[in-house]
Amino acid sequence: MPSMFTQLLNQYRNTITRPIHVLGIDLGTTNSVIAELVWDPNDDQEPVANCFTISQEMPDGTMYTHELVPSVVANKNNKCFVGEGAKQLRAQVNDYGLTEHKNIFYEVKNDIGVRLSYQLAPDSYKNAAEISAHILSFLYNEAQKQNNIDPDHIVITVPASFQVAQRRDTLK
């Protein structure tokens, strides 16, 4: 018996004539990840989801590559670090003169939908939606470097417990 996924694909196979490219992003409180699914209705194979392996710049200029991207953003000397590099900076905030909600940001997903602003932060780092946008943009740009096909759809997961304001800020 075919899987529910196969049944769904077969249902749309006759109405969709070109390949479909979908990106899925899990914007997590601790870590985030991006995956893609490409489906060609003219191919009998079921699509396979591919989780991108993302290169993340470290403070020393080296690169760290992994599927998981820590949901941490740092602005050090007007340079934006997202992921493992920002996480390393967080571990040494005193050494780098970083201050939470000024130039180092983590666990901001908890502030999405709340009318909280980070007054000491530079422009584009003023609230949780803007910080989350740095993470989402980073993930999207890195995925585009690996597969530059424009996506037909982008799906961003949110917790079932998110209220309307939290969902709105995530879309923003």
Side-chain angles (χ1 to χ4, degrees), residues 88-138:
Q88 273 198 1
L89 289 170
R90 178 185 176 199
Q92 301 171 1
V93 290
N94 293 333
D95 296 342
Y96 292 106
L98 300 174
T99 304
E100 183 180 9
H101 296 148
K102 178 180 179 185
N103 46 21
I104 185 89
F105 307 90
Y106 48 91
E107 297 182 6
V108 297
K109 186 174 167 185
N110 297 332
D111 293 337
I112 290 179
V114 177
R115 294 181 190 256
L116 174 69
S117 62
Y118 311 136
Q119 297 299 321
L120 301 174
D123 289 341
S124 85
Y125 296 85
K126 292 288 189 185
N127 58 52
E130 290 180 357
I131 302 301
S132 297
H134 283 283
I135 298 167
L136 293 169
S137 294
F138 176 76

Side-chain angles (χ1 to χ4, degrees):
M1 175 170 188
S3 70
M4 186 178 352
F5 188 63
T6 301
Q7 291 173 6
L8 186 64
L9 291 178
N10 288 334
Q11 177 182 345
Y12 288 100
R13 191 175 303 277
N14 296 328
T15 59
I16 297 174
T17 58
R18 62 176 185 74
I20 302 292
H21 182 228
V22 178
L23 293 177
I25 301 174
D26 179 12
L27 177 64
T29 303
T30 306
N31 293 297
S32 296
V33 67
I34 184 167
E36 74 174 344
L37 185 101
V38 179
W39 177 58
D40 185 346
N42 301 312
D43 187 348
D44 288 337
Q45 300 294 316
E46 280 195 18
V48 176
N50 170 45
C51 191
F52 287 100
T53 302
I54 304 295
S55 293
Q56 304 158 58
E57 186 175 0
M58 305 302 284
D60 65 4
T62 61
M63 300 301 277
Y64 173 82
T65 304
H66 201 275
E67 292 85 8
L68 292 177
V69 175
S71 299
V72 183
V73 176
N75 183 331
K76 179 180 171 266
N77 300 330
N78 293 319
K79 181 173 176 115
C80 182
F81 288 89
V82 176
E84 191 63 35
K87 183 178 173 183
Q88 273 198 1
L89 289 170
R90 178 185 176 199
Q92 301 171 1
V93 290
N94 293 333
D95 296 342
Y96 292 106
L98 300 174
T99 304
E100 183 180 9
H101 296 148
K102 178 180 179 185
N103 46 21
I104 185 89
F105 307 90
Y106 48 91
E107 297 182 6
V108 297
K109 186 174 167 185
N110 297 332
D111 293 337
I112 290 179
V114 177
R115 294 181 190 256
L116 174 69
S117 62
Y118 311 136
Q119 297 299 321
L120 301 174
D123 289 341
S124 85
Y125 296 85
K126 292 288 189 185
N127 58 52
E130 290 180 357
I131 302 301
S132 297
H134 283 283
I135 298 167
L136 293 169
S137 294
F138 176 76
L139 291 169
Y140 176 80
N141 291 333
E142 291 301 312
Q144 285 297 99
K145 287 178 187 176
Q146 294 178 41
N147 184 351
N148 65 358
I149 299 171
D150 286 333
D152 296 290
H153 301 282
I154 299 175
V155 178
I156 302 172
T157 63
V158 296
S161 62
F162 261 26
Q163 301 301 311
V164 172
Q166 293 167 302
R167 292 172 191 267
R168 183 191 63 239
D169 273 4
T170 302
L171 286 172
K172 184 177 156 183

